[in-house]
Amino acid sequence: MKDTDILFSIALMILGIVLMYKSMKGNSCRQRLAKLADSIASDKENINFQIKRFGYLLDEMAADNEKNSILKCHADRLEELVTQLDRTRNELEISNLSMADINEELKRSNAELVKRATQLRNEIQQDELAIQKIQERLDSLKRIKVGLEIALNNIQAEEVHYLSEPVFSLGITPSIKSHLESHGILYIGDLIHLNEQYLMEIWGVGPVTLEKIKTKLNENGAWFGMDVIRVGNHWYRIKQGSITD
């Protein structure tokens, strides 16, 4: 009995030890499981945070991609504009060259036109002088014709005797007389067909002398521009209605 009791006691002791070990081992497993659960929960939170952060990064990347797309569209548009500007610049350069050629041609044409205009102006001036001389010649011939008619008594006219007097009878100085005679002005009748400006241009005939001549003419019934006809050294005033066209 004693041995049996001892074995039973040993068995009980071993059983107690096993139970105590299992109990201790179960507590340790639960603690590790709890720690593992806490770690997993922490990792889950960290993973969720990383997932959220990755989501933000994806959103930012999407926004950046959209911006890049917009920027690319702008870049493509700018490239098209640059191409258009280059094409327009080339066209303008071609137009400028064409305009330069046209400008040179216009300059040449203008020079030719100026030259031709100068020639035409000179020709017109020469023609005008020729016409003026012809007109003066016609007037002279007409006056000669009228003078002949007067000489033949075909035209009634009265002689203005005062106009046949020499210029010195005007009471002018010898020096002025010489200047007038040097210009072919020998008789008073030669004066009345001249204008006052022409006489002023003759050296020595100043305003005072001119006024003196005009006064002397008026005193004797004559004036500058008087309508008379010269026949030889005589001047006649045609009576009104004696000449019919």
Side-chain angles (χ1 to χ4, degrees):
M1 289 296 292
K2 189 175 180 179
D3 293 333
T4 303
D5 291 336
I6 292 170
L7 290 172
F8 184 75
S9 297
I10 291 170
L12 287 173
M13 289 176 64
I14 292 170
L15 180 61
I17 291 170
V18 170
L19 291 173
M20 288 177 64
Y21 175 74
K22 287 183 177 181
S23 176
M24 291 177 65
K25 187 176 180 182
N27 290 332
S28 177
C29 287
R30 283 193 296 273
Q31 290 176 354
R32 284 199 298 271
L33 288 172
K35 288 181 180 180
L36 182 60
D38 293 338
S39 178
I40 290 171
S42 177
D43 291 340
K44 183 180 179 182
E45 290 178 359
N46 189 28
I47 290 170
N48 289 333
F49 175 76
Q50 294 296 332
I51 290 172
K52 289 181 180 179
R53 185 178 178 185
F54 185 71
Y56 293 148
L57 289 174
L58 288 176
D59 292 339
E60 290 179 358
M61 289 177 66
D64 290 339
N65 287 332
E66 185 177 357
K67 290 178 180 179
N68 288 333
S69 298
I70 295 172
L71 289 175
K72 189 176 183 302
C73 290
H74 287 314
D76 293 339
R77 180 58 181 164
L78 286 174
E79 187 175 355
E80 291 178 0
L81 290 174
V82 169
T83 303
Q84 292 178 358
L85 289 173
D86 287 337
R87 185 165 54 250
T88 304
R89 184 187 61 190
N90 293 332
E91 292 175 355
L92 287 174
E93 288 178 353
I94 295 172
S95 298
N96 286 334
L97 291 175
S98 178
M99 289 298 293
D101 294 338
I102 294 172
N103 188 40
E104 290 297 327
E105 183 63 27
L106 287 175
K107 286 181 179 179
R108 287 193 295 270
S109 299
N110 185 53
E112 292 176 359
L113 288 174
V114 170
K115 183 179 179 181
R116 182 56 182 162
T118 303
Q119 292 175 350
L120 288 174
R121 184 171 62 249
N122 294 334
E123 291 174 1
I124 290 171
Q125 289 176 350
Q126 292 174 359
D127 291 341
E128 288 177 347
L129 290 174
I131 292 171
Q132 183 179 355
K133 289 180 179 179
I134 292 172
Q135 186 62 45
E136 290 174 355
R137 181 60 178 167
L138 289 174
D139 292 340
S140 177
L141 291 173
K142 183 178 179 180
R143 297 178 76 84
I144 291 172
K145 178 178 179 294
V146 174
L148 290 173
E149 295 290 340
I150 292 173
L152 294 173
N153 293 323
N154 294 330
I155 295 177
Q156 295 181 358
E158 58 181 353
E159 184 179 356
V160 183
H161 297 284
Y162 178 67
L163 299 180
S164 298
E165 295 183 8
V167 289
F168 66 82
S169 62
L170 290 170
I172 57 178
T173 62
S175 61
I176 294 177
K177 172 182 172 293
S178 298
H179 287 303
L180 291 173
E181 290 178 348
S182 67
H183 287 78
I185 302 171
L186 304 178
Y187 300 95
I188 295 175
D190 295 326
L191 281 173
I192 62 173
H193 291 301
L194 305 176
N195 58 52
E196 298 177 16
Q197 183 63 34
Y198 178 77
L199 288 172
M200 291 285 289
E201 291 174 355
I202 299 175
W203 188 86
V205 181
V208 176
T209 302
L210 180 61
E211 191 62 32
K212 183 177 179 180
I213 293 172
K214 288 170 64 178
T215 302
K216 196 72 173 176
L217 289 173
N218 293 335
E219 288 175 354
N220 291 275
W223 57 88
F224 285 109
M226 188 176 181
D227 187 15
V228 291
I229 298 295
R230 181 176 182 175
V231 180
N233 292 330
H234 301 277
W235 279 262
Y236 295 87
R237 184 163 53 185
I238 300 171
K239 292 183 179 180
Q240 219 170 12
S242 297
I243 298 180
T244 57
D245 294 335

mmCIF file of all heavy atoms in Angstrom, residues 30-61:
data_model
loop_
_atom_site.group_PDB
_atom_site.id
_atom_site.type_symbol
_atom_site.label_atom_id
_atom_site.label_comp_id
_atom_site.label_asym_id
_atom_site.label_seq_id
_atom_site.Cartn_x
_atom_site.Cartn_y
_atom_site.Cartn_z
ATOM 1 N N ARG A 30 -1.965 32.970 -24.967
ATOM 2 C CA ARG A 30 -2.972 34.045 -25.066
ATOM 3 C C ARG A 30 -2.325 35.423 -25.099
ATOM 4 O O ARG A 30 -2.740 36.314 -25.842
ATOM 5 C CB ARG A 30 -3.957 33.941 -23.893
ATOM 6 C CG ARG A 30 -4.989 32.819 -24.101
ATOM 7 C CD ARG A 30 -6.120 32.965 -23.095
ATOM 8 N NE ARG A 30 -5.649 32.784 -21.728
ATOM 9 C CZ ARG A 30 -5.555 31.610 -21.116
ATOM 10 N NH1 ARG A 30 -5.881 30.504 -21.751
ATOM 11 N NH2 ARG A 30 -5.125 31.545 -19.867
ATOM 12 N N GLN A 31 -1.267 35.540 -24.291
ATOM 13 C CA GLN A 31 -0.564 36.835 -24.294
ATOM 14 C C GLN A 31 0.075 37.107 -25.636
ATOM 15 O O GLN A 31 0.006 38.225 -26.183
ATOM 16 C CB GLN A 31 0.496 36.843 -23.187
ATOM 17 C CG GLN A 31 -0.092 36.892 -21.788
ATOM 18 C CD GLN A 31 0.981 36.807 -20.713
ATOM 19 O OE1 GLN A 31 2.173 36.602 -21.047
ATOM 20 N NE2 GLN A 31 0.594 36.921 -19.445
ATOM 21 N N ARG A 32 0.717 36.037 -26.192
ATOM 22 C CA ARG A 32 1.335 36.233 -27.508
ATOM 23 C C ARG A 32 0.286 36.517 -28.568
ATOM 24 O O ARG A 32 0.488 37.334 -29.452
ATOM 25 C CB ARG A 32 2.148 34.981 -27.880
ATOM 26 C CG ARG A 32 3.474 34.887 -27.123
ATOM 27 C CD ARG A 32 4.429 33.933 -27.824
ATOM 28 N NE ARG A 32 3.911 32.582 -27.880
ATOM 29 C CZ ARG A 32 4.112 31.657 -26.926
ATOM 30 N NH1 ARG A 32 4.813 31.953 -25.835
ATOM 31 N NH2 ARG A 32 3.603 30.444 -27.053
ATOM 32 N N LEU A 33 -0.861 35.793 -28.477
ATOM 33 C CA LEU A 33 -1.928 36.040 -29.430
ATOM 34 C C LEU A 33 -2.460 37.461 -29.305
ATOM 35 O O LEU A 33 -2.757 38.132 -30.309
ATOM 36 C CB LEU A 33 -3.076 35.038 -29.240
ATOM 37 C CG LEU A 33 -2.771 33.598 -29.693
ATOM 38 C CD1 LEU A 33 -3.906 32.667 -29.275
ATOM 39 C CD2 LEU A 33 -2.567 33.543 -31.211
ATOM 40 N N ALA A 34 -2.573 37.913 -28.031
ATOM 41 C CA ALA A 34 -3.049 39.287 -27.819
ATOM 42 C C ALA A 34 -2.069 40.291 -28.405
ATOM 43 O O ALA A 34 -2.452 41.261 -29.067
ATOM 44 C CB ALA A 34 -3.255 39.537 -26.318
ATOM 45 N N LYS A 35 -0.750 40.024 -28.133
ATOM 46 C CA LYS A 35 0.260 40.927 -28.693
ATOM 47 C C LYS A 35 0.241 40.893 -30.213
ATOM 48 O O LYS A 35 0.371 41.910 -30.888
ATOM 49 C CB LYS A 35 1.641 40.513 -28.183
ATOM 50 C CG LYS A 35 1.871 40.835 -26.714
ATOM 51 C CD LYS A 35 3.268 40.427 -26.287
ATOM 52 C CE LYS A 35 3.511 40.736 -24.810
ATOM 53 N NZ LYS A 35 4.866 40.334 -24.375
ATOM 54 N N LEU A 36 0.064 39.625 -30.758
ATOM 55 C CA LEU A 36 0.025 39.482 -32.201
ATOM 56 C C LEU A 36 -1.188 40.210 -32.782
ATOM 57 O O LEU A 36 -1.104 40.879 -33.826
ATOM 58 C CB LEU A 36 -0.024 37.995 -32.565
ATOM 59 C CG LEU A 36 -0.019 37.685 -34.081
ATOM 60 C CD1 LEU A 36 1.241 38.233 -34.739
ATOM 61 C CD2 LEU A 36 -0.108 36.177 -34.286
ATOM 62 N N ALA A 37 -2.314 40.102 -32.057
ATOM 63 C CA ALA A 37 -3.523 40.800 -32.520
ATOM 64 C C ALA A 37 -3.299 42.307 -32.494
ATOM 65 O O ALA A 37 -3.702 43.023 -33.426
ATOM 66 C CB ALA A 37 -4.719 40.412 -31.654
ATOM 67 N N ASP A 38 -2.671 42.765 -31.396
ATOM 68 C CA ASP A 38 -2.379 44.223 -31.330
ATOM 69 C C ASP A 38 -1.453 44.659 -32.457
ATOM 70 O O ASP A 38 -1.637 45.717 -33.068
ATOM 71 C CB ASP A 38 -1.755 44.556 -29.980
ATOM 72 C CG ASP A 38 -2.732 44.377 -28.825
ATOM 73 O OD1 ASP A 38 -3.956 44.408 -29.103
ATOM 74 O OD2 ASP A 38 -2.277 44.226 -27.683
ATOM 75 N N SER A 39 -0.437 43.820 -32.701
ATOM 76 C CA SER A 39 0.510 44.147 -33.777
ATOM 77 C C SER A 39 -0.185 44.154 -35.124
ATOM 78 O O SER A 39 0.054 45.037 -35.973
ATOM 79 C CB SER A 39 1.650 43.121 -33.773
ATOM 80 O OG SER A 39 2.545 43.390 -34.837
ATOM 81 N N ILE A 40 -1.080 43.118 -35.308
ATOM 82 C CA ILE A 40 -1.810 43.055 -36.576
ATOM 83 C C ILE A 40 -2.707 44.279 -36.732
ATOM 84 O O ILE A 40 -2.821 44.877 -37.819
ATOM 85 C CB ILE A 40 -2.620 41.757 -36.655
ATOM 86 C CG1 ILE A 40 -1.665 40.559 -36.818
ATOM 87 C CG2 ILE A 40 -3.620 41.787 -37.808
ATOM 88 C CD1 ILE A 40 -2.348 39.212 -36.684
ATOM 89 N N ALA A 41 -3.362 44.656 -35.616
ATOM 90 C CA ALA A 41 -4.233 45.844 -35.675
ATOM 91 C C ALA A 41 -3.425 47.080 -36.012
ATOM 92 O O ALA A 41 -3.843 47.922 -36.820
ATOM 93 C CB ALA A 41 -4.960 46.011 -34.330
ATOM 94 N N SER A 42 -2.237 47.182 -35.374
ATOM 95 C CA SER A 42 -1.373 48.336 -35.670
ATOM 96 C C SER A 42 -0.920 48.318 -37.119
ATOM 97 O O SER A 42 -0.914 49.352 -37.803
ATOM 98 C CB SER A 42 -0.169 48.309 -34.730
ATOM 99 O OG SER A 42 0.707 49.366 -35.032
ATOM 100 N N ASP A 43 -0.545 47.101 -37.598
ATOM 101 C CA ASP A 43 -0.124 46.997 -38.999
ATOM 102 C C ASP A 43 -1.273 47.320 -39.943
ATOM 103 O O ASP A 43 -1.080 47.943 -41.010
ATOM 104 C CB ASP A 43 0.391 45.584 -39.287
ATOM 105 C CG ASP A 43 1.715 45.306 -38.570
ATOM 106 O OD1 ASP A 43 2.386 46.304 -38.204
ATOM 107 O OD2 ASP A 43 2.062 44.128 -38.401
ATOM 108 N N LYS A 44 -2.504 46.901 -39.514
ATOM 109 C CA LYS A 44 -3.657 47.194 -40.343
ATOM 110 C C LYS A 44 -3.881 48.692 -40.456
ATOM 111 O O LYS A 44 -4.162 49.214 -41.547
ATOM 112 C CB LYS A 44 -4.900 46.485 -39.746
ATOM 113 C CG LYS A 44 -6.154 46.688 -40.598
ATOM 114 C CD LYS A 44 -7.335 45.970 -39.980
ATOM 115 C CE LYS A 44 -8.576 46.204 -40.827
ATOM 116 N NZ LYS A 44 -9.772 45.553 -40.230
ATOM 117 N N GLU A 45 -3.764 49.373 -39.282
ATOM 118 C CA GLU A 45 -3.914 50.832 -39.323
ATOM 119 C C GLU A 45 -2.838 51.470 -40.199
ATOM 120 O O GLU A 45 -3.104 52.397 -40.982
ATOM 121 C CB GLU A 45 -3.839 51.398 -37.899
ATOM 122 C CG GLU A 45 -5.048 51.037 -37.046
ATOM 123 C CD GLU A 45 -4.919 51.580 -35.630
ATOM 124 O OE1 GLU A 45 -3.856 52.205 -35.373
ATOM 125 O OE2 GLU A 45 -5.844 51.433 -34.827
ATOM 126 N N ASN A 46 -1.621 50.940 -40.052
ATOM 127 C CA ASN A 46 -0.521 51.478 -40.871
ATOM 128 C C ASN A 46 -0.766 51.210 -42.350
ATOM 129 O O ASN A 46 -0.537 52.073 -43.212
ATOM 130 C CB ASN A 46 0.785 50.844 -40.427
ATOM 131 C CG ASN A 46 1.987 51.506 -41.081
ATOM 132 O OD1 ASN A 46 1.935 52.684 -41.428
ATOM 133 N ND2 ASN A 46 3.060 50.760 -41.292
ATOM 134 N N ILE A 47 -1.286 49.973 -42.642
ATOM 135 C CA ILE A 47 -1.588 49.632 -44.037
ATOM 136 C C ILE A 47 -2.698 50.526 -44.567
ATOM 137 O O ILE A 47 -2.640 51.017 -45.700
ATOM 138 C CB ILE A 47 -1.955 48.146 -44.142
ATOM 139 C CG1 ILE A 47 -0.701 47.276 -43.909
ATOM 140 C CG2 ILE A 47 -2.550 47.832 -45.521
ATOM 141 C CD1 ILE A 47 -0.999 45.800 -43.765
ATOM 142 N N ASN A 48 -3.757 50.737 -43.723
ATOM 143 C CA ASN A 48 -4.843 51.622 -44.147
ATOM 144 C C ASN A 48 -4.323 53.030 -44.423
ATOM 145 O O ASN A 48 -4.739 53.689 -45.383
ATOM 146 C CB ASN A 48 -5.939 51.656 -43.079
ATOM 147 C CG ASN A 48 -6.716 50.344 -43.011
ATOM 148 O OD1 ASN A 48 -6.815 49.623 -44.009
ATOM 149 N ND2 ASN A 48 -7.263 50.026 -41.843
ATOM 150 N N PHE A 49 -3.416 53.502 -43.540
ATOM 151 C CA PHE A 49 -2.821 54.834 -43.736
ATOM 152 C C PHE A 49 -2.018 54.876 -45.043
ATOM 153 O O PHE A 49 -2.123 55.844 -45.816
ATOM 154 C CB PHE A 49 -1.928 55.166 -42.535
ATOM 155 C CG PHE A 49 -1.186 56.458 -42.706
ATOM 156 C CD1 PHE A 49 -1.845 57.677 -42.557
ATOM 157 C CD2 PHE A 49 0.165 56.459 -43.035
ATOM 158 C CE1 PHE A 49 -1.151 58.863 -42.719
ATOM 159 C CE2 PHE A 49 0.854 57.640 -43.196
ATOM 160 C CZ PHE A 49 0.192 58.861 -43.039
ATOM 161 N N GLN A 50 -1.254 53.799 -45.272
ATOM 162 C CA GLN A 50 -0.466 53.748 -46.505
ATOM 163 C C GLN A 50 -1.376 53.664 -47.728
ATOM 164 O O GLN A 50 -1.084 54.282 -48.779
ATOM 165 C CB GLN A 50 0.482 52.541 -46.482
ATOM 166 C CG GLN A 50 1.563 52.617 -45.416
ATOM 167 C CD GLN A 50 2.522 53.775 -45.644
ATOM 168 O OE1 GLN A 50 2.723 54.199 -46.775
ATOM 169 N NE2 GLN A 50 3.088 54.272 -44.541
ATOM 170 N N ILE A 51 -2.513 52.924 -47.561
ATOM 171 C CA ILE A 51 -3.460 52.839 -48.671
ATOM 172 C C ILE A 51 -4.052 54.215 -48.979
ATOM 173 O O ILE A 51 -4.172 54.625 -50.134
ATOM 174 C CB ILE A 51 -4.561 51.808 -48.345
ATOM 175 C CG1 ILE A 51 -3.977 50.384 -48.370
ATOM 176 C CG2 ILE A 51 -5.723 51.917 -49.355
ATOM 177 C CD1 ILE A 51 -4.931 49.309 -47.872
ATOM 178 N N LYS A 52 -4.446 54.922 -47.876
ATOM 179 C CA LYS A 52 -4.978 56.277 -48.072
ATOM 180 C C LYS A 52 -3.932 57.191 -48.718
ATOM 181 O O LYS A 52 -4.235 57.950 -49.637
ATOM 182 C CB LYS A 52 -5.426 56.855 -46.736
ATOM 183 C CG LYS A 52 -6.684 56.207 -46.186
ATOM 184 C CD LYS A 52 -7.076 56.859 -44.861
ATOM 185 C CE LYS A 52 -8.349 56.224 -44.300
ATOM 186 N NZ LYS A 52 -8.730 56.837 -43.008
ATOM 187 N N ARG A 53 -2.713 57.083 -48.203
ATOM 188 C CA ARG A 53 -1.641 57.917 -48.763
ATOM 189 C C ARG A 53 -1.398 57.570 -50.233
ATOM 190 O O ARG A 53 -1.207 58.457 -51.078
ATOM 191 C CB ARG A 53 -0.366 57.703 -47.955
ATOM 192 C CG ARG A 53 0.763 58.601 -48.386
ATOM 193 C CD ARG A 53 1.974 58.375 -47.533
ATOM 194 N NE ARG A 53 3.071 59.218 -47.986
ATOM 195 C CZ ARG A 53 4.315 59.171 -47.480
ATOM 196 N NH1 ARG A 53 4.600 58.314 -46.508
ATOM 197 N NH2 ARG A 53 5.228 59.973 -47.963
ATOM 198 N N PHE A 54 -1.440 56.296 -50.562
ATOM 199 C CA PHE A 54 -1.265 55.873 -51.941
ATOM 200 C C PHE A 54 -2.412 56.396 -52.814
ATOM 201 O O PHE A 54 -2.217 56.797 -53.961
ATOM 202 C CB PHE A 54 -1.212 54.336 -51.996
ATOM 203 C CG PHE A 54 -0.920 53.801 -53.368
ATOM 204 C CD1 PHE A 54 0.342 53.944 -53.934
ATOM 205 C CD2 PHE A 54 -1.913 53.168 -54.107
ATOM 206 C CE1 PHE A 54 0.598 53.445 -55.192
ATOM 207 C CE2 PHE A 54 -1.655 52.670 -55.366
ATOM 208 C CZ PHE A 54 -0.390 52.812 -55.922
ATOM 209 N N GLY A 55 -3.631 56.397 -52.193
ATOM 210 C CA GLY A 55 -4.782 56.953 -52.908
ATOM 211 C C GLY A 55 -4.570 58.435 -53.199
ATOM 212 O O GLY A 55 -4.869 58.912 -54.304
ATOM 213 N N TYR A 56 -4.052 59.149 -52.171
ATOM 214 C CA TYR A 56 -3.765 60.574 -52.398
ATOM 215 C C TYR A 56 -2.731 60.754 -53.502
ATOM 216 O O TYR A 56 -2.842 61.638 -54.356
ATOM 217 C CB TYR A 56 -3.270 61.210 -51.106
ATOM 218 C CG TYR A 56 -4.308 61.294 -50.020
ATOM 219 C CD1 TYR A 56 -3.947 61.205 -48.671
ATOM 220 C CD2 TYR A 56 -5.666 61.450 -50.333
ATOM 221 C CE1 TYR A 56 -4.894 61.283 -47.665
ATOM 222 C CE2 TYR A 56 -6.615 61.518 -49.331
ATOM 223 C CZ TYR A 56 -6.222 61.442 -47.996
ATOM 224 O OH TYR A 56 -7.171 61.518 -47.016
ATOM 225 N N LEU A 57 -1.709 59.879 -53.433
ATOM 226 C CA LEU A 57 -0.666 59.964 -54.464
ATOM 227 C C LEU A 57 -1.237 59.681 -55.847
ATOM 228 O O LEU A 57 -0.873 60.355 -56.839
ATOM 229 C CB LEU A 57 0.468 58.973 -54.155
ATOM 230 C CG LEU A 57 1.349 59.331 -52.946
ATOM 231 C CD1 LEU A 57 2.330 58.201 -52.664
ATOM 232 C CD2 LEU A 57 2.107 60.630 -53.193
ATOM 233 N N LEU A 58 -2.162 58.696 -55.923
ATOM 234 C CA LEU A 58 -2.791 58.401 -57.209
ATOM 235 C C LEU A 58 -3.602 59.599 -57.717
ATOM 236 O O LEU A 58 -3.585 59.927 -58.905
ATOM 237 C CB LEU A 58 -3.698 57.171 -57.081
ATOM 238 C CG LEU A 58 -2.978 55.819 -56.928
ATOM 239 C CD1 LEU A 58 -3.999 54.693 -56.717
ATOM 240 C CD2 LEU A 58 -2.118 55.510 -58.151
ATOM 241 N N ASP A 59 -4.337 60.238 -56.747
ATOM 242 C CA ASP A 59 -5.116 61.427 -57.139
ATOM 243 C C ASP A 59 -4.199 62.537 -57.640
ATOM 244 O O ASP A 59 -4.486 63.211 -58.644
ATOM 245 C CB ASP A 59 -5.938 61.925 -55.949
ATOM 246 C CG ASP A 59 -7.041 60.949 -55.571
ATOM 247 O OD1 ASP A 59 -7.422 60.129 -56.441
ATOM 248 O OD2 ASP A 59 -7.512 61.010 -54.416
ATOM 249 N N GLU A 60 -3.078 62.742 -56.896
ATOM 250 C CA GLU A 60 -2.125 63.772 -57.327
ATOM 251 C C GLU A 60 -1.524 63.432 -58.686
ATOM 252 O O GLU A 60 -1.352 64.309 -59.546
ATOM 253 C CB GLU A 60 -1.020 63.919 -56.283
ATOM 254 C CG GLU A 60 -1.503 64.546 -54.983
ATOM 255 C CD GLU A 60 -0.380 64.644 -53.951
ATOM 256 O OE1 GLU A 60 0.749 64.181 -54.281
ATOM 257 O OE2 GLU A 60 -0.618 65.169 -52.861
ATOM 258 N N MET A 61 -1.223 62.126 -58.869
ATOM 259 C CA MET A 61 -0.673 61.717 -60.156
ATOM 260 C C MET A 61 -1.687 61.932 -61.277
ATOM 261 O O MET A 61 -1.347 62.373 -62.391
ATOM 262 C CB MET A 61 -0.248 60.252 -60.102
ATOM 263 C CG MET A 61 0.996 60.012 -59.246
ATOM 264 S SD MET A 61 1.418 58.266 -59.136
ATOM 265 C CE MET A 61 1.849 57.925 -60.841
#
